[in-house]
């Protein structure tokens, strides 16, 4: 093994260090020696770890460790595939349609309970930059629809943050108009309110 | 092969005698566990087509029982010796075909018998590579060359026409590669190198190293095998070129034991290295996010990947269990609604299944996107780092909806060249999405979008 190791390290390091200079052989060797040794130790430690992970091991040399690891990984991948297929087919045969409604109803009730109101705020911070803040009822995939609506109106959202609390969603973002004309805050506010109502 | 019967088998045959077959098998078994392992590797990585040749080789190894067993097309790689054992059990009938084999301690007659069989087998099919593989590490033709032998490979004139290159490749390749950048060789190698006449004129390019020299060796082995059997002076219609080995190898065979390990290494050493490199490469190809290309990091990546796979498997098992319980429970509910709602007994069992916390974590990287998905129970945290190009929020949000994840919290923005986002989501009840699917879907969508967007970037 040792010989193999050194031979392979020779071939590996030729690209880094080129041919050995035979003139100052000793210095060169000693400079390399520790580095090489460390490198080899690193590799062998990792191989040991690899071996410790793999349950089925045949022989205890470098080649078979790697080979066993390959077999084991393939086996695991196969298991994952089988299980996920199983899951998929179980999923397709089951029915789960009543849940989302429950969530929505709960959300509306909670909001009322905590006194959170739906609100839209728009502040003009620059020529065509607006800060917006929207509080709305949490509904399934509402955020997606909101983002889509924004995109379709030509607004670009940057620095968007979303939080939810007790059935309410807070969206705060910076709106940039794609078109360079100045956007009125009021207009945008109305637009947003319409959008929220519609989704 | 020839050294099996020629070098070793005479001894073992002489010892055991009665059942030469079992002797050689035992012999095989003792020495060749490693060989079979190597053979396995070679098989796998060089993808030999070993249909009938496998049969042949095994039969030859097992003293030709299975040659007569045409049904033996089992080219599984599993230990050939077990295979051959089964052959023997079934092929006992053909024992009488062997003539006076059982009683014979005489290797000569055995050889002659094997000669006839092998000749027939060779006549039928092509090279049995497996055969030679089995012999490979122990004794190759090159290893048969003791440092001081004078083997004349370059005067085929009084024997036979010039052999095609493949026949003597093996002899040249390992030697040839000694001409390459100086590597520390045991002195024996150098001796060997020097002792062999430089008059080798056969083309032996160093590029035909591992894979080809293996073939070369195989060709050699076969020929040498046949040649050796020629010793028995049985008329065999083999490649004539082989005969030139026979005499030399005859003496080499006996001297093999004196040659020692280093000589046989120098042919196999290179092959072993290359095989090892091939394996590392295979490992690297299996891992989804290969980082660096050096051996240590390949192994490191493999370690991480194995851990990740184990996590995924656990997660999936848990999910499947949950689903099954839910299903059963629902079935019971339905059937028991008629029974005036008796509490199903499976509930406590369900609790125990579901009480184990589901947790998993994995990372996936692609060219422009990095995804980190962590799942604890029903909360999924996704970290996404993406090179700025498209409005990723929208797409991610869409994907999350598809995956039935309820977005609770999004934070992030763009930092320098990248978008970085953190998504906190909750899995909707009943959805059985798992970490791997989330990550893969996200990466897929991101990459698709990248591909769809023209190179000119957006106006941020």
């Amino acid at each position: 093994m040792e010989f193999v190791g050194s031979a392979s390290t020779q071939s590996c390091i030729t690209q880094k260090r080129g041919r050995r200079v035979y003139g100052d052989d000793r210095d060169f060797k000693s400079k390399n020696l520790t580095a090489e040794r460390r490198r080899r130790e690193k590799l062998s430690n990792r191989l040991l770890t690899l071996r410790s992970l793999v349950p089925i091991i045949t022989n205890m040399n470098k080649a078979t460790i790697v080979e066993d690891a390959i077999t084991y990984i393939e086996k695991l991948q196969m298991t994952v595939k089988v299980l996920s297929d199983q899951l998929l087919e179980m999923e397709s045969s089951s029915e789960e349609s009543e849940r989302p409604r429950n969530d929505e109803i709960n959300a509306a009730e909670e909001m009322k309970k905590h006194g959170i109101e739906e609100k839209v705020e728009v502040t003009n911070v620059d020529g065509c930059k607006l800060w917006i803040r929207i509080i709305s009822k949490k509904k399934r995939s509402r955020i997606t629809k909101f983002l889509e609506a924004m995109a379709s109106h030509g607004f670009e959202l940057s620095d968007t943050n979303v939080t939810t609390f007790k059935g309410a969603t807070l969206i705060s973002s910076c709106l940039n108009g794609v078109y360079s004309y100045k956007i009125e805050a009021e207009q945008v506010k109305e637009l947003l309110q319409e959008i929220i109502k519609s989704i | 092969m020839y050294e099996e019967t020629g070098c070793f088998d005479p001894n073992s045959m002489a010892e055991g005698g009665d059942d030469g077959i079992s002797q050689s098998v035992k012999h095989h078994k003792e020495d060749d566990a490693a060989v079979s392992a190597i053979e396995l590797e070679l098989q796998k990585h060089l993808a030999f087509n070993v249909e009938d040749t496998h049969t042949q080789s095994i039969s030859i190894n097992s003293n030709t029982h299975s040659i007569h067993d045409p049904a033996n097309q089992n080219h599984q790689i599993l230990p050939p010796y077990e295979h051959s054992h089964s052959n023997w059990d079934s092929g006992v009938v053909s024992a009488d075909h062997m003539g006076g084999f059982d009683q014979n301690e005489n290797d000569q007659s055995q050889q002659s018998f094997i000669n006839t069989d092998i000749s027939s087998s060779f006549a039928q099919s092509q090279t049995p590579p497996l055969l030679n593989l089995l012999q490979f590490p122990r004794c190759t033709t090159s290893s048969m060359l003791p440092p001081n032998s004078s083997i004349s490979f370059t005067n085929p004139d009084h024997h036979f026409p010039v052999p095609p290159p493949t026949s003597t490749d093996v002899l040249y390749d390992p030697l040839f590669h000694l001409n390459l950048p100086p590597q520390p060789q045991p002195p024996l190698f150098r001796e060997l190198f020097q002792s062999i006449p430089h008059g080798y004129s056969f083309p032996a390019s160093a590029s035909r190293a591992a894979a080809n020299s293996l073939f070369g060796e195989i060709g050699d082995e076969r020929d040498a095998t046949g040649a050796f059997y020629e010793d028995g002076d049985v008329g065999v219609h083999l490649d004539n070129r082989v005969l030139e080995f026979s005499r030399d190898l005859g003496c080499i065979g006996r001297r093999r034991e004196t040659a020692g390990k280093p000589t046989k290494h120098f042919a196999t050493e290179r092959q072993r290295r290359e095989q090892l490199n091939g394996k590392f490469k295979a490992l690297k190809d299996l891992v989804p996010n290969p980082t660096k290309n050096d051996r240590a990091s390949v192994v490191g990546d493999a370690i991480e990947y194995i851990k990740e796979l184990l996590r995924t498997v656990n997660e999936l098992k848990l999910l499947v269990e949950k689903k099954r319980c839910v299903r059963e429970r629902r079935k019971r509910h339905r059937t028991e609604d008629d029974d005036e709602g008796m509490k199903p007994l499976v509930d406590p069992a369900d609790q125990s299944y579901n009480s184990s916390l589901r947790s998993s974590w994995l990372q996936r990287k692609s060219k422009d996107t990095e995804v980190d998905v962590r799942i604890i129970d029903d909360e999924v945290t996704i970290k996404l780092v993406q090179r700025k190009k498209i409005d990723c929020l929208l797409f991610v949000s869409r994907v999350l909806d598809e995956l039935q994840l309820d977005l609770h919290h999004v934070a992030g923005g763009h930092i320098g060249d990248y978008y970085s986002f953190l998504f906190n989501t909750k899995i909707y009840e009943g959805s059985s999405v798992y970490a791997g699917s989330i990550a893969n879907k996200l990466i897929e969508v991101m990459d698709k979008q990248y591909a769809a967007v023209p190179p000119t970037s957006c106006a941020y």
Side-chain angles (χ1 to χ4, degrees):
Chain A
M1 259 308 167
E2 187 48 43
F3 173 73
V4 176
S6 59
S8 56
T9 55
Q10 297 293 334
S11 54
C12 286
I13 63 171
T14 41
Q15 46 201 5
K16 256 203 309 191
R17 282 174 255 259
R19 294 293 168 85
R20 284 185 153 200
V21 179
Y22 286 103
D24 49 326
D25 224 11
R26 235 169 262 163
D27 268 352
F28 209 62
K29 259 190 213 160
S30 64
K31 257 190 239 167
N32 263 353
L33 197 56
T34 34
E36 270 305 309
R37 209 184 279 151
R38 254 187 293 129
R39 193 190 84 95
R40 277 198 297 265
E41 280 171 8
K42 182 177 171 198
L43 181 60
S44 76
N45 282 340
R46 291 207 182 165
L47 277 177
L48 278 178
T49 323
L50 190 58
R51 185 164 71 197
S52 72
L53 280 179
V54 175
I56 318 162
I57 44 180
T58 51
N59 293 340
M60 292 304 228
N61 54 0
K62 258 199 233 174
T64 56
I65 293 176
V66 176
E67 187 191 325
D68 289 336
I70 293 176
T71 335
Y72 186 55
I73 288 181
E74 285 172 350
K75 173 169 164 279
L76 282 179
Q77 283 177 334
M78 185 64 63
T79 319
V80 165
K81 190 172 183 313
V82 162
L83 280 176
S84 62
D85 287 343
Q86 207 180 18
L87 204 58
L88 263 174
E89 101 179 42
M90 285 175 90
E91 180 140 311
S92 62
S93 60
S94 73
E95 326 97 27
E96 290 285 349
S97 49
E98 330 86 47
R99 303 293 181 145
R101 295 296 149 76
N102 293 343
D103 291 345
E104 287 173 23
I105 298 173
N106 290 341
E109 288 175 2
E110 285 211 49
M111 267 187 81
K112 265 192 227 144
K113 237 195 318 180
H114 292 267
I116 308 173
E117 303 167 359
E118 298 212 348
K119 212 188 331 183
V120 176
E121 285 173 15
V122 179
T123 320
N124 200 324
V125 291
D126 200 4
C128 44
K129 231 183 194 180
L130 297 163
W131 281 352
I132 59 171
R133 220 175 99 129
I134 302 174
I135 301 176
S136 78
K137 203 163 34 182
K138 187 163 115 164
K139 226 189 328 182
R140 198 167 170 156
S141 60
R142 193 167 219 185
I143 298 170
T144 314
K145 292 185 190 146
F146 172 71
L147 291 171
E148 282 177 350
M150 288 287 105
S152 66
H153 282 277
F155 295 128
E156 278 174 16
L157 292 169
S158 59
D159 303 325
T160 317
N161 284 319
V162 174
T163 23
T164 33
F165 182 72
K166 302 281 184 197
T169 309
L170 168 66
I171 305 174
S172 64
S173 167
C174 175
L175 210 84
N176 290 317
V178 176
Y179 317 107
S180 51
Y181 55 81
K182 191 159 184 272
I183 310 173
E184 289 296 325
E186 279 305 316
Q187 292 175 337
V188 173
K189 188 169 176 181
E190 285 166 13
L191 183 61
L192 287 176
Q193 276 166 340
E194 276 178 39
I195 291 174
I196 296 296
K197 280 197 199 103
S198 65
I199 58 176
Chain B
M1 176 58 188
Y2 51 86
E3 63 105 7
E4 273 291 299
T5 51
C7 312
F8 280 19
D9 280 17
N11 306 331
S12 61
M13 285 310 152
E15 298 159 7
D18 294 340
D19 192 3
I21 301 168
S22 62
Q23 271 297 340
S24 63
V25 165
K26 219 174 15 167
H27 184 68
H28 284 224
K29 275 224 155 122
E30 287 157 6
D31 299 347
D32 292 335
V35 173
S36 60
I38 293 172
E39 173 210 332
L40 276 169
E41 298 164 10
L42 289 170
Q43 283 279 331
K44 256 189 228 170
H45 296 285
L46 297 175
F48 276 117
N49 181 15
V50 289
E51 309 231 350
D52 45 354
T53 58
H54 188 270
T55 313
Q56 297 290 346
S57 59
I58 290 182
S59 62
I60 290 170
N61 265 331
S62 60
N63 292 323
T64 70
H65 264 286
S66 56
I67 287 183
H68 307 287
D69 187 6
N72 241 355
Q73 293 302 320
N74 174 19
H75 48 276
Q76 251 315 322
I77 293 178
L78 287 186
Y81 301 111
E82 295 170 7
H83 179 73
S84 53
H85 260 300
S86 65
N87 292 345
W88 292 358
D89 294 337
S90 61
V92 167
V93 181
S94 55
D96 50 0
H97 197 79
M98 298 286 217
F101 185 69
D102 309 75
Q103 305 89 357
N104 250 336
E105 308 178 13
N106 190 356
D107 48 330
Q108 201 65 11
S109 63
Q110 179 187 356
Q111 282 175 18
S112 63
F113 168 72
I114 295 171
N115 272 335
T116 50
D117 263 0
I118 287 183
S119 65
S120 60
S121 67
F122 281 142
Q124 295 161 19
S125 73
Q126 75 275 25
T127 313
L130 194 54
L131 160 69
N132 303 304
L133 279 176
L134 292 172
Q135 306 315 314
F136 184 57
R138 277 206 295 157
C139 179
T140 64
T141 50
S142 54
S143 70
M144 298 294 262
L145 303 172
N148 303 320
S149 78
S150 60
I151 302 169
S152 60
F153 293 107
T154 56
N155 55 348
D157 47 330
H158 67 279
H159 289 282
F160 305 94
V162 175
T166 55
S167 69
T168 48
D169 255 1
V170 64
L171 291 168
Y172 302 101
D173 272 348
L175 301 180
F176 197 82
H177 95 279
L178 288 179
N179 280 325
L180 290 178
Q183 305 174 4
Q185 311 271 354
L188 205 50
F189 286 17
R190 277 193 217 108
E191 228 181 293
L192 185 54
F193 176 61
Q194 285 155 17
S195 70
I196 293 179
H198 287 264
Y200 287 161
S201 54
F202 294 99
S205 59
S207 64
R208 308 161 89 184
N212 295 346
S213 62
L214 188 57
F215 283 104
E217 302 231 30
I218 288 165
D220 238 349
E221 291 280 352
R222 172 207 34 180
D223 299 333
T225 308
F228 196 71
Y229 288 135
E230 283 285 45
D231 272 348
D233 278 340
V234 177
V236 177
H237 297 292
L238 289 175
D239 252 350
N240 291 330
R241 59 193 152 107
V242 168
L243 280 180
E244 65 190 8
F245 288 167
S246 59
R247 270 159 246 170
D248 299 315
L249 291 174
C251 63
I252 290 168
R254 265 146 246 148
R255 294 181 60 178
R256 184 217 163 277
E257 288 161 16
T258 63
K261 282 210 164 217
T263 39
K264 79 179 178 212
H265 265 199
F266 97 116
T268 64
E269 182 56 35
R270 189 173 204 203
Q271 317 245 345
R272 185 146 50 116
R273 267 210 314 277
E274 310 223 351
Q275 285 166 24
L276 194 59
N277 281 334
K279 281 190 206 148
F280 271 102
K281 185 166 186 313
L283 195 56
K284 187 168 78 123
D285 291 337
L286 276 181
V287 174
N289 304 329
T291 51
K292 295 194 190 170
N293 283 354
D294 65 310
R295 286 184 181 183
S297 28
V298 164
V299 174
D301 287 344
I303 293 173
E304 291 305 317
Y305 187 48
I306 289 184
K307 290 186 193 158
E308 178 197 303
L309 280 175
L310 285 171
R311 281 194 295 260
T312 315
V313 166
N314 285 339
E315 189 192 359
L316 284 176
K317 279 192 190 157
L318 209 65
L319 278 178
V320 168
E321 266 313 311
K322 269 193 194 165
K323 264 244 159 225
R324 202 176 298 148
C325 291
V326 164
R327 243 202 217 164
E328 283 176 17
R329 206 190 309 154
R330 217 180 301 133
K331 262 191 238 157
R332 275 174 216 262
H333 274 294
R334 261 186 249 127
T335 58
E336 286 170 1
D337 276 342
D338 314 333
D339 284 18
E340 302 282 8
M342 210 170 45
K343 221 26 176 184
L345 290 170
V346 77
D347 258 353
D350 286 349
Q351 291 307 315
S352 65
Y353 283 131
N354 295 337
S355 63
S356 56
L357 211 56
R358 159 190 172 175
S359 79
S360 86
W361 165 56
L362 51 77
Q363 285 182 326
R364 288 277 182 272
K365 290 191 191 135
S366 83
K367 197 167 131 277
D368 298 302
T369 321
E370 254 179 62
V371 169
D372 179 307
V373 178
R374 290 166 208 243
I375 304 187
I376 297 186
D377 210 11
D378 62 344
E379 293 185 5
V380 185
T381 306
I382 304 175
K383 274 187 245 180
L384 180 73
V385 178
Q386 186 189 55
R387 209 171 296 170
K388 188 170 77 168
K389 223 185 183 194
I390 55 169
D391 183 11
C392 59
L393 255 192
L394 174 59
F395 296 114
V396 172
S397 173
R398 270 200 209 134
V399 168
L400 293 177
D401 283 339
E402 279 174 32
L403 295 169
Q404 300 187 355
L405 294 173
D406 189 16
L407 202 53
H408 275 226
H409 185 87
V410 178
H414 68 86
I415 302 170
D417 263 346
Y418 288 88
Y419 278 137
S420 171
F421 283 106
L422 179 73
F423 299 89
N424 281 336
T425 64
K426 250 190 153 117
I427 304 182
Y428 280 121
E429 271 267 357
S431 161
S432 60
V433 65
Y434 62 100
S437 67
I438 297 176
N440 290 337
K441 197 78 205 289
L442 279 172
I443 293 272
E444 187 191 317
V445 167
M446 288 296 123
D447 286 343
K448 200 167 51 158
Q449 295 305 323
Y450 270 125
V453 169
T456 58
S457 70
C458 57
Y460 272 99

